[in-house]
Amino acid sequence: MKKYLNLATALIASLKPKSQPPEIDTCGQPALTQEQQLALMEWLFASLMGVGYFGKAHLIWDDGKDRERQIFTALMRNEPIFLYSQGTRPTPTAEGYCWRLLAEHPSLQVYELQVEVEGK
């Protein structure tokens, strides 16, 4: 049943117009100070604009909760999803996807959701 609810939510979200100005939607509770959060958001905005992306992106503060619904909705809208791991490992994600560490960020706790490639 949960799978069908996610599918319906994602289908509705895919029909909504995509945002034009750069925007980062967050979910979860960050364990960072305001200054650290601001620095991370600035880095993420600069990275997205550096590759020519000016739409909506998502940042999940990994607090161990199930974020499958938010992830699936963003995937259906073809919006990038990032995760800030607040533990030693990121929370597992949907089947067929994996978290890729963004080693460019000095904290080594920022991940991007990618399609899992068979054979790797």
Side-chain angles (χ1 to χ4, degrees):
M1 182 66 175
K2 182 178 175 184
K3 192 173 194 174
Y4 294 116
L5 179 61
N6 286 344
L7 183 59
T9 302
L11 183 60
I12 291 168
S14 70
L15 298 174
K16 291 181 182 178
K18 293 187 179 180
S19 61
Q20 293 302 324
E23 178 183 345
I24 297 177
D25 185 30
T26 63
C27 66
Q29 292 296 322
L32 302 175
T33 66
Q34 287 286 76
E35 293 81 25
Q36 292 170 321
Q37 289 177 48
L38 181 60
L40 175 61
M41 293 298 233
E42 288 173 351
W43 180 86
L44 206 47
F45 270 118
S47 297
L48 289 168
M49 290 189 293
V51 295
Y53 185 82
F54 295 93
K56 185 175 187 177
H58 302 268
L59 174 61
I60 299 170
W61 301 104
D62 189 9
D63 52 10
K65 294 184 180 172
D66 180 17
R67 303 290 179 190
E68 187 175 328
R69 189 175 194 179
Q70 291 94 339
I71 290 171
F72 196 64
T73 301
L75 287 171
M76 291 298 291
R77 296 186 74 183
N78 200 27
E79 296 168 342
I81 306 165
F82 301 93
L83 176 124
Y84 185 87
S85 178
Q86 300 182 121
T88 56
R89 291 185 173 179
T91 300
T93 187
E95 187 176 326
Y97 294 89
C98 64
W99 294 112
R100 181 182 70 85
L101 176 66
L102 296 178
E104 301 86 17
H105 192 268
S107 73
L108 296 179
Q109 292 179 286
V110 181
Y111 295 81
E112 179 181 15
L113 189 68
Q114 291 189 331
V115 174
E116 199 166 37
V117 179
E118 298 251 348
K120 278 197 167 184

